[in-house]
Amino acid sequence: MPRRVRSEAGAAAMYGMSHRALRQMMLDRLGPAAWAKVERETSTGPADLISLCVYDDSKTIALISASAAQLGLSFDEALLVFGRYWIHFAELSSFGPIMDFTGRDIVTFINNLDRMHRSVVLAMPDARVPSFTLVDETRSRLVVRYRSDRTGLEAFVIGLLEGLMDRLGETGVVEVADRAGHTIDFAIRLDRA
């Protein structure tokens, strides 16, 4: 049974770009037959894959759950894999140039993430984006504070941060350092000499 992603702030929504990214990940990993099975199991069609449309979280969670089953992964494992893949997918999409402007090193990128998310909200006013704040920085350790009205997406955020490290030529480990309500601190231990 998948973990529930909840929103205490009302009907949360995810975006068609996420659905498109998940579809591409499944096509890349398992091919069209696996994705077709996910579509059948979740009653997903072309209207659920419009990049700039906002969809209820339940649709996205159903897609991730069905994909996890096809991949032979737990829900959280699938979230982590999808988070890593999301960075790759986004950089190859129309968001690639925006990501380039957001930063070419991990500290700059994280410091500009909220600014990038504000530009997403301009394009999609119904978007409910998380907040990322760099709250501590040393040469080999960063602490990123994540705030969202959704709960249960820690594995996805870890995957995002790992994917970001891959993109920016860093290696290391990401883990949850602290949590309080809708705020989670992620520690990034970087492999730097």
Side-chain angles (χ1 to χ4, degrees):
M1 186 80 173
R3 283 188 14 190
R4 297 281 303 156
V5 175
R6 297 180 309 264
S7 169
E8 279 74 2
M14 290 196 182
Y15 317 106
M17 187 176 173
S18 298
H19 297 175
R20 293 174 70 82
L22 186 61
R23 177 185 66 178
Q24 192 59 53
M25 182 182 86
M26 291 299 291
L27 291 171
D28 290 351
R29 287 178 169 248
L30 299 177
W35 178 251
K37 186 171 182 184
V38 168
E39 284 183 325
R40 282 191 307 276
E41 290 175 0
T42 60
S43 300
T44 297
D48 297 307
L49 300 168
I50 301 170
S51 288
L52 295 180
C53 280
V54 178
Y55 300 94
D56 188 81
D57 282 356
S58 62
K59 182 62 167 186
T60 308
I61 297 310
L63 287 166
I64 293 169
S65 295
S67 296
Q70 289 293 307
L71 292 164
L73 301 174
S74 71
F75 183 74
D76 281 345
E77 290 168 336
L79 279 176
L80 189 135
V81 168
F82 182 46
R84 286 188 84 132
Y85 186 85
W86 170 257
I87 297 295
H88 172 71
F89 180 84
E91 72 186 353
L92 295 177
S93 75
S94 59
F95 282 95
I98 294 169
M99 291 175 75
D100 288 341
F101 285 122
T102 302
R104 295 191 182 266
D105 65 85
I106 195 162
V107 169
T108 304
F109 196 98
I110 291 169
N111 280 327
N112 286 323
L113 255 176
D114 282 0
R115 182 176 295 138
M116 181 181 75
H117 282 147
R118 284 192 296 272
S119 68
V120 169
V121 172
L122 289 174
M124 298 185 324
D126 292 334
R128 293 168 56 162
V129 296
S131 172
F132 291 85
T133 306
L134 187 62
V135 294
D136 190 32
E137 171 190 357
T138 67
R139 174 159 173 72
S140 60
R141 185 175 185 265
L142 307 174
V143 177
V144 179
R145 182 158 293 152
Y146 164 81
R147 291 184 187 96
S148 175
D149 60 0
R150 291 182 180 95
T151 58
L153 292 177
E154 295 89 341
F156 181 71
V157 176
I158 289 171
L160 288 173
L161 293 170
E162 289 177 351
L164 182 60
M165 286 193 303
D166 291 344
R167 180 177 197 271
L168 299 171
E170 296 277 6
T171 59
V173 176
V174 181
E175 57 195 7
V176 173
D178 193 21
R179 69 178 73 227
H182 294 283
T183 302
I184 302 172
D185 287 350
F186 291 91
I188 304 173
R189 287 184 284 124
L190 299 165
D191 297 331
R192 292 178 172 172

